[in-house]
Amino acid sequence: MKAPTLALLSLLALGVAPAVHAEEGAAYYGVSIGELEYSESGGFIDDTVSSWRLSINYQFMEHLGVEGGYGQSGDIESTFTVPTFPVGTVDLDFHAEFSRIFTIRLLGIWPFDNGLSLMGGLGYSQQKFEFDLTDGTDSISGDEDLNTPGYYAAVQYDWERFAMRLGYEKLDFDDNGRDGTETMLTFFYKL
């Protein structure tokens, strides 16, 4: 089964789970806005762009939850100069975006009596990375499917029906030279 299909089925299961097992836990539906920092080796590509997510979350127990989400990033842009043979240079414009980000995450939750919770988690993202490289005359375009583990930390405040969370995720691209982190502010509605 392909990774996008698996991620979509996981999101569907998370959406149905609250209706089936509502008495065992709490369901959260959320929208996130944030920033994605992306860089590649050599400093040629280094940009911070906006990002967003829609999520379906289910807290099975007081200390354990699972989350699924779908989102996208803004345009990652960079301009750099490369040497050409035999002598000279050419300026290249790089444009890219994560046009699809499916995420599934297992969360450990440490709640306090005042409504505040600390969270830590391990996740998996399936991303579609679309790019375009041009020298002003010629261009090369393409896309790449990435499968990325992630490490997550957050602090959340809960009210009766709403919650707000500030989260940070380190994306482990597992190839030399790529680096990514995402900081998100999420607003949840609880069923």
Side-chain angles (χ1 to χ4, degrees):
M1 185 180 293
K2 291 191 171 191
T5 306
L6 181 60
L8 189 57
L9 288 174
S10 299
L11 283 174
L12 181 60
L14 286 171
V16 172
V20 176
H21 299 289
E23 69 277 359
E24 293 181 15
Y28 295 72
Y29 294 88
V31 61
S32 304
I33 54 172
E35 286 188 341
L36 174 72
E37 295 180 34
Y38 179 82
S39 63
E40 291 192 15
S41 63
F44 290 117
I45 301 167
D46 189 2
D47 200 5
T48 301
V49 299
S50 63
S51 60
W52 64 269
R53 295 265 171 91
L54 298 175
S55 60
I56 301 169
N57 312 329
Y58 190 71
Q59 189 170 335
F60 291 99
M61 297 181 264
E62 183 180 19
H63 299 287
L64 181 64
V66 66
E67 298 185 335
Y70 170 81
Q72 295 180 344
S73 78
D75 290 337
I76 299 166
E77 298 180 345
S78 185
T79 300
F80 50 92
T81 303
V82 295
T84 59
F85 183 78
V87 178
T89 61
V90 64
D91 291 330
L92 297 175
D93 291 324
F94 176 83
H95 299 277
E97 70 173 344
F98 289 96
S99 62
R100 179 185 67 225
I101 305 170
F102 286 114
T103 304
I104 186 94
R105 179 182 300 128
L106 185 64
L107 268 182
I109 303 160
W110 295 273
F112 297 95
D113 291 336
N114 61 1
L116 196 66
S117 298
L118 297 179
M119 301 176 170
L122 297 174
Y124 169 82
S125 295
Q126 194 283 324
Q127 304 132 343
K128 184 171 186 177
F129 186 70
E130 296 182 350
F131 62 89
D132 181 59
L133 186 64
T134 182
D135 65 1
T137 309
D138 298 316
S139 68
I140 299 171
S141 297
D143 60 63
E144 182 179 6
D145 285 326
L146 303 171
N147 298 303
T148 309
Y151 310 99
Y152 186 75
V155 60
Q156 178 171 304
Y157 189 81
D158 287 89
W159 291 273
E160 186 175 333
R161 284 283 190 204
F162 297 95
M164 185 170 62
R165 180 190 301 171
L166 180 61
Y168 175 83
E169 186 168 21
K170 170 72 173 133
L171 303 171
D172 186 3
F173 286 106
D174 196 34
D175 78 15
N176 294 332
R178 287 189 183 187
D179 190 30
T181 60
E182 192 170 21
T183 305
M184 303 288 277
L185 182 61
T186 307
F187 301 93
F188 291 104
Y189 175 73
K190 296 186 273 185
L191 291 181

